[in-house]
Amino acid sequence: MKFEMLALGIAMPVALSGCMSPGTETGDFQAPQRLAELYNATMDENHALVYSETAALPSSGSAEYSGAVMMVAATSVDATTADLLMADSTLSASFAAGGATIDGDMTNWHGIQNIDATTLNNYIDAPETMIDDLNQGVGSGSLSISGTMTGPQDGLTVSGDVALNGTNYGVDGQVLTQFYGPNGEYVTIQGGGDVGAPYVPTVTIDGQVGEGIILGLYGK
C-alpha cells in the first residue's frame, strides 16, 4: 500500500517484506529484522495462516510472543510529514475459559523524524534502506499493552511515554488485536489509519495532541 499523504491509512507492517541484513550498526535492535522474519513466516512459509483467523482462543495455558511494532505520528497540521518509530515488543497471553489476559511491552525504540510520504514509501519498498536511518535516532521509554480479550479479536490498551532526540511522545488508546492460525501462532495489533474508532490511539508530541498509527506483528 502506498502513502499519497501520511493522513491516509496504513497497511499492516507485512508490507516490509524485503530481505533485510541488519549489519553491525543495529546492535540489539531487532525490530526491522524481526518484522521481516515474521512476514516471511506468515506469508512465504505458511501463507494460509495470514488468511486464517483463529477460530477460538485456547481455554487454558499460556503463550509467549515476540515481535515488532511501528508507530507513525503526524508532525504537521496537514499530516504530510511524520515521525516513524519502531520498537521490539513482547506479549504474554494467559488463556482461560471465555478469553485471555494479555500483557506486554514495547521497548528499545529507534526512529526517524519529520519524513515525508515519498520517503516513507521508499522505506516500505526497500526496508533495508531504513535500518541505518533508524539507528541515527535512539529513543528511551516504553509502551505497555494490556487487557482482557473475550475472543480471538478484541481491543487492548496501549499507553506510555517514549522520548527520541528531545521529542516526547505520550501514547494512550485502544488497538485492535487479532490472533491468527489454527492455534494462535501469530498476533497482530492495529490502531489508527484504516482501522477506525474506537481503535485510534492518541499520540501527544511535546504537548500537541494528535492521532497516531500503531502496527505490530508477533509470533510464538
Side-chain angles (χ1 to χ4, degrees):
M1 179 177 180
K2 295 293 186 180
F3 295 80
E4 297 303 325
M5 60 181 297
L6 294 175
L8 296 180
I10 183 171
M12 274 303 298
V14 293
L16 297 175
S17 58
C19 179
M20 305 169 73
S21 300
T24 58
E25 294 183 2
T26 58
D28 62 353
F29 181 47
Q30 299 297 314
Q33 178 70 12
R34 182 62 176 154
L35 210 52
E37 291 172 352
L38 284 167
Y39 172 87
N40 291 331
T42 55
M43 290 296 287
D44 296 344
E45 300 171 17
N46 300 294
H47 194 120
L49 289 179
V50 173
Y51 303 101
S52 172
E53 296 179 357
T54 302
L57 293 175
S59 59
S60 62
S62 61
E64 300 293 325
Y65 298 84
S66 61
V69 295
M70 175 190 296
M71 179 170 72
V72 179
T75 54
S76 60
V77 174
D78 58 1
T80 56
T81 61
D83 293 351
L84 168 66
L85 290 79
M86 291 189 71
D88 302 318
S89 187
T90 60
L91 291 177
S92 297
S94 179
F95 301 107
T101 300
I102 310 294
D103 288 290
D105 57 22
M106 306 170 189
T107 59
N108 203 13
W109 288 89
H110 289 56
I112 311 167
Q113 294 172 303
N114 291 317
I115 57 177
D116 59 23
T118 299
T119 302
L120 187 55
N121 282 329
N122 290 339
Y123 287 145
I124 292 173
D125 289 337
E128 65 276 7
T129 65
M130 177 172 56
I131 296 176
D132 287 341
D133 290 341
L134 280 168
N135 279 286
Q136 294 175 20
V138 180
S140 60
S142 65
L143 302 183
S144 65
I145 178 169
S146 62
T148 300
M149 298 182 65
T150 59
Q153 183 185 84
D154 209 339
L156 296 176
T157 298
V158 174
S159 63
D161 297 281
V162 175
L164 179 72
N165 296 333
T167 301
N168 297 302
Y169 306 83
V171 180
D172 185 63
Q174 291 266 306
V175 291
L176 181 64
T177 306
Q178 173 72 60
F179 281 78
Y180 284 90
N183 299 302
E185 289 87 347
Y186 300 95
V187 181
T188 64
I189 64 170
Q190 304 179 69
D194 291 339
V195 183
Y199 308 110
V200 183
T202 297
V203 179
T204 303
I205 303 177
D206 287 339
Q208 298 296 314
V209 179
E211 294 180 0
I213 297 172
I214 297 177
L215 306 168
L217 179 60
Y218 301 82
K220 286 185 178 179

